[in-house]
Amino acid sequence: MSSSREHIRNFCIIAHVDHGKSTLADRILELTGAVDPRNLKEQTLDTMDIERERGITIKAVAVRLTYKAQDGQTYVLNLIDTPGHVDFSYEVSRSLAACEGAVLLVDAAQGVEAQTLAHFYRALEQNLEIIPVINKIDLPSADIDSCRRQITEVLGLEGDEAILASAKEGTGTREVLEAVVKRIPSPKGDPDAPLRALIFDAVYDSYRGVIVYIRIVDGRATKGQEIVFMSSGDRYDIVELGVFRPAPDPMESLETGEVGYLICNIKTLRSVKIGDTVTDVASPAKDPLPGYEQIKPVVFCGLYPAAASDYEELRNALEKLQLNDASFVFQADNSDALGFGFRLGFLGLLHMEIIQERLEREFNLSLVATTPNVAYKVTTVDGKQLVIENASKLPPPNKIAEIAEPYIEAEIICPTEYLSSVIELCKRKRGVHVRVDYIDNKRCMAIYQMPLAEIVLDFYDKLKSCTRGYGSLEYRLIGFRPDNLVKLDILLNGDPVDALSCIVHRDRAEAIGRTLAQKLRKLIPRQQFEVAIQAAIGSRILVRETIKPLRKNVTAKCYGGDITRKRKLLEKQKEGKKRMKQIGNVEVPQEAFMALLSVGDEIDK
């Protein structure tokens, strides 16, 4: 084993949202002198404006540091800063595969939260060495003893050995790095074997093409070497390779155990598959490395340009954005109400928000978004299996044998005093109770199985409201279950508005239809003719609301004289309105599509 590899440590920082991962990364950069103190700012590794504004990490970032330990040895540390939000957990699982250890942060005031548990289990599955750190000990509400107890009882780690730190003040940073060099093993691998490198991320640069993030597992990669991607068989010459410190630093070669990047004049991100294995063309490896599960989007919505002429611009913007985030998918779609647009698939609601905001900001587009929904599995009467991502594509009711919806298992951690509110919320969302575990005498974890469709819209906000902000949520998909589901159509003057169609439970269809129709009556502007808003299941009308027409006073100029003259003018107006209704087109404003988001609130009240 080469001495250089003995002194390499690959680790990442994992934690629940807002427990201080990026701040600790800043302190580590400061302590190791990786960044000039003049250039150091909060969230140094978060480069997107949207990350800085929201104070969250969206993309995992790799950086190489040099650290002189107390034993006098100099170590090379490869640090990966990861996101905490449930929507970006795919970034975390990819990062863990490139490491031998993880620093697990626990907020001293909030203790072990749902995402802490989820990331901890992911790290355990990868057999990583886990170093528990209690962060934010400077807070007045910090309860260190309770955190130690939770780390021992909930995570099964040595709570008494947890490092105490305050990333904000810089306390405990050196102790964290000492634990990293002492407890995390050096990378394994055979430097004499053929090259095998794991692709754990890739980003697109408009000047250099695709920059591939790799971890060398066996062998070595050198500049000018001809490589092949094992899943696709595509061959490239390495034009540049190097490490991030955090700015790219080109090198002549990357050795076994090192984490870095390579550039090979790859034109599109589609040519690069995350989790693929890179090997040498001259002496290829026999077996690829175990990759990652294919990411499947769970939330879908339609995005349409506000001006039809912006359609091509939106397509180009989506293609460019997909170069930097291959985790969302899109395909062309068209709607009678909104014209031509795209159907997009995301990993969650925050992911959807981020993509929409980036499209509007970075590409200056004005967009109309339809209500987010999930994919359903439909079995037709003749035994065909269909996956329906858009309610308007659902077959007629007489052709459907069964509709199955995706179910999730949710782990909700909250203070015990709010448990009854959480149970009530889950019951309203068609949740099935599994069990309640008590973490300590103040906090508990409720486990429920419920439809993903109920989680997608407003569950997280409602959970935060009913637990005064202390509730945290983690969920995973557990498969599809059939239920009594129907397609609810909204008709305007007898014509269905496909973008407002939704799949709902039959028991709630009438309540949702009524609430939606009442909301639309307020939102759709009055026309010169009467507008009928109806909610229907198939040909059965459940609800009707009417928008009265605007009426011009055509008899204003008649004063005195025969009543028949006035009547004649009114009859003429009535005929005109009838004709107008036949050809009249009702404009549906953007607020109407967003009305679906708050329908649940109204029904709950």
Side-chain angles (χ1 to χ4, degrees):
M1 187 188 268
S2 67
S3 63
S4 62
R5 193 149 49 92
E6 282 175 5
H7 298 139
I8 294 175
R9 299 290 182 270
N10 298 323
F11 73 103
C12 58
I13 305 174
I14 54 175
H16 186 76
V17 185
D18 226 13
H19 279 199
K21 293 177 294 297
S22 296
T23 314
L24 179 63
D26 287 349
R27 296 293 83 78
I28 290 173
L29 292 175
E30 205 171 21
L31 182 66
T32 55
V35 178
D36 189 314
R38 289 170 300 179
N39 298 335
L40 199 72
K41 50 186 185 275
E42 277 188 45
Q43 294 172 260
T44 307
L45 296 177
D46 292 345
T47 49
M48 278 192 263
D49 290 343
I50 203 162
E51 287 182 311
R52 309 192 68 76
E53 279 171 29
R54 287 177 178 240
I56 58 172
T57 301
I58 295 168
K59 288 292 287 178
V61 183
V63 60
R64 180 175 173 132
L65 313 162
T66 308
Y67 172 65
K68 186 156 190 184
Q70 286 171 350
D71 61 6
Q73 293 284 358
T74 301
Y75 290 87
V76 169
L77 308 180
N78 291 308
L79 156 68
I80 302 175
D81 180 24
T82 63
H85 199 281
V86 62
D87 285 16
F88 304 113
S89 48
Y90 70 97
E91 291 275 344
V92 181
S93 58
R94 293 185 338 205
S95 307
L96 292 172
C99 301
E100 276 78 36
V103 172
L104 179 73
L105 290 193
V106 176
D107 188 312
Q110 294 180 325
V112 171
E113 299 266 36
Q115 288 300 119
T116 320
L117 266 177
H119 295 329
F120 168 71
Y121 289 136
R122 280 195 188 95
L124 271 189
E125 282 167 18
Q126 304 271 4
N127 295 323
L128 301 193
E129 177 67 39
I130 297 166
I131 299 169
V133 175
I134 298 173
N135 191 24
K136 304 192 185 182
I137 56 167
D138 56 310
L139 290 178
S141 56
D143 187 346
I144 294 166
D145 292 338
S146 170
C147 281
R148 286 194 193 280
R149 209 164 40 248
Q150 286 175 37
I151 288 170
T152 306
E153 291 170 10
V154 181
L155 303 178
L157 298 172
E158 288 297 329
D160 296 337
E161 291 178 15
I163 298 162
L164 302 183
S166 165
K168 189 178 174 186
E169 295 182 349
T171 319
T173 313
R174 188 170 287 280
E175 287 82 345
V176 170
L177 290 181
E178 284 298 319
V180 165
V181 299
K182 285 195 183 90
R183 291 171 55 183
I184 293 177
S186 57
K188 296 180 178 67
D190 183 356
D192 303 320
L195 167 68
R196 284 203 305 173
L198 175 74
I199 300 176
F200 69 90
D201 206 353
V203 293
Y204 181 77
D205 182 285
S206 45
Y207 300 104
R208 318 289 309 272
V210 178
I211 300 172
V212 181
Y213 290 33
I214 57 165
R215 150 82 198 264
I216 308 280
V217 177
D218 293 320
R220 70 198 292 254
T222 52
K223 192 176 171 182
Q225 182 178 4
E226 192 182 0
I227 55 163
V228 60
F229 291 167
M230 289 182 86
S231 73
S232 62
D234 293 346
R235 297 180 173 205
Y236 299 98
D237 289 331
I238 300 177
V239 177
E240 181 182 311
L241 83 172
V243 295
F244 294 101
R245 305 178 190 266
D249 180 12
M251 298 172 78
E252 284 304 308
S253 66
L254 285 176
E255 307 293 330
T256 303
E258 293 191 315
V259 174
Y261 70 91
L262 49 90
I263 298 171
C264 312
N265 290 337
I266 303 169
K267 300 286 188 296
T268 68
L269 257 184
R270 283 192 205 93
S271 313
V272 179
K273 185 168 168 272
I274 307 295
D276 195 0
T277 304
V278 174
T279 189
D280 187 16
V281 169
S283 57
K286 285 181 187 165
D287 304 312
L289 297 161
Y292 304 108
E293 284 178 50
Q294 194 63 36
I295 307 161
K296 291 190 179 76
V298 292
V299 175
F300 300 86
C301 96
L303 271 189
Y304 299 85
S309 55
D310 289 346
Y311 176 77
E312 280 304 320
E313 255 181 82
L314 176 57
R315 179 197 288 281
N316 294 338
L318 284 168
E319 282 172 356
K320 281 179 185 163
L321 205 55
Q322 204 176 36
L323 291 173
N324 276 326
D325 183 357
S327 59
F328 79 91
V329 295
F330 70 91
Q331 61 188 60
D333 194 20
N334 69 319
S335 149
D336 298 339
L338 298 167
F340 289 99
F342 295 91
R343 186 111 193 119
L344 282 80
F346 307 95
L347 301 172
L349 220 55
L350 178 70
H351 190 210
M352 179 184 121
E353 252 181 73
I354 299 282
I355 295 289
Q356 193 178 341
E357 199 169 325
R358 287 185 69 188
L359 284 168
E360 287 176 345
R361 267 191 195 193
E362 295 172 24
F363 302 97
N364 218 6
L365 289 163
S366 180
L367 301 170
V368 177
T370 63
T371 316
N373 65 302
V374 299
Y376 296 86
K377 280 188 178 168
V378 177
T379 310
T380 58
V381 177
D382 52 9
K384 278 188 190 159
Q385 290 265 344
L386 308 170
V387 176
I388 301 290
E389 295 162 6
N390 188 345
S392 60
K393 303 277 192 293
L394 202 66
N398 59 343
K399 297 273 174 70
I400 297 171
E402 178 182 273
I403 303 178
E405 60 184 334
Y407 258 69
I408 54 126
E409 184 163 278
E411 293 176 351
I412 300 161
I413 294 182
C414 68
T416 316
E417 67 213 73
Y418 301 119
L419 180 61
S420 57
S421 313
V422 169
I423 290 172
E424 187 56 41
L425 172 64
C426 293
K427 216 184 275 179
R428 284 205 307 266
K429 298 290 185 186
R430 298 192 281 134
V432 178
H433 178 80
V434 178
R435 67 176 190 276
V436 174
D437 295 338
Y438 288 88
I439 293 169
D440 55 25
N441 54 1
K442 289 183 184 166
R443 296 164 81 239
C444 61
M445 178 165 72
I447 297 169
Y448 269 83
Q449 293 182 352
M450 61 181 91
L452 178 63
E454 300 286 353
I455 289 266
V456 159
L457 292 183
D458 56 0
F459 185 84
Y460 191 66
D461 297 340
K462 288 227 174 99
L463 175 68
K464 286 290 180 194
S465 303
C466 77
T467 59
R468 304 260 177 101
Y470 289 109
S472 64
L473 166 75
E474 155 68 15
Y475 63 83
R476 59 188 179 83
L477 285 165
I478 54 170
F480 285 76
R481 292 183 189 175
D483 211 332
N484 191 3
L485 302 167
V486 290
K487 176 188 170 192
L488 181 71
D489 281 317
I490 299 295
L491 316 176
L492 292 184
N493 280 346
D495 296 327
V497 181
D498 54 357
L500 286 174
S501 296
C502 53
I503 295 173
V504 296
H505 197 275
R506 192 181 289 276
D507 296 348
R508 299 180 75 196
E510 191 172 333
I512 291 172
R514 188 175 306 285
T515 312
L516 196 52
Q518 286 167 354
K519 278 181 165 291
L520 292 175
R521 195 188 72 202
K522 292 174 191 162
L523 291 168
I524 292 173
R526 285 174 75 186
Q527 312 289 325
Q528 294 285 351
F529 49 91
E530 183 183 277
V531 178
I533 303 168
Q534 295 165 310
I537 297 174
S539 56
R540 183 172 153 240
I541 305 294
L542 301 177
V543 178
R544 175 185 167 123
E545 292 283 337
T546 307
I547 301 174
K548 296 281 183 236
L550 292 167
R551 184 169 171 231
K552 184 184 173 189
N553 188 354
V554 289
T555 60
K557 59 181 182 286
C558 301
Y559 48 92
D562 190 353
I563 187 70
T564 54
R565 189 170 167 223
K566 288 186 180 179
R567 199 167 286 145
K568 190 176 166 189
L569 287 167
L570 289 168
E571 287 296 327
K572 194 175 172 188
Q573 183 187 41
K574 199 171 166 187
E575 284 301 315
K577 283 196 186 292
K578 238 186 216 168
R579 268 203 318 280
M580 205 183 268
K581 190 172 178 178
Q582 287 166 4
I583 58 167
N585 188 15
V586 186
E587 284 290 315
V588 185
Q590 162 73 20
E591 295 81 54
F593 299 104
M594 299 327 286
L596 268 168
L597 294 172
S598 53
V599 165
D601 286 359
E602 307 283 323
I603 292 168
D604 292 344
K605 284 175 194 165

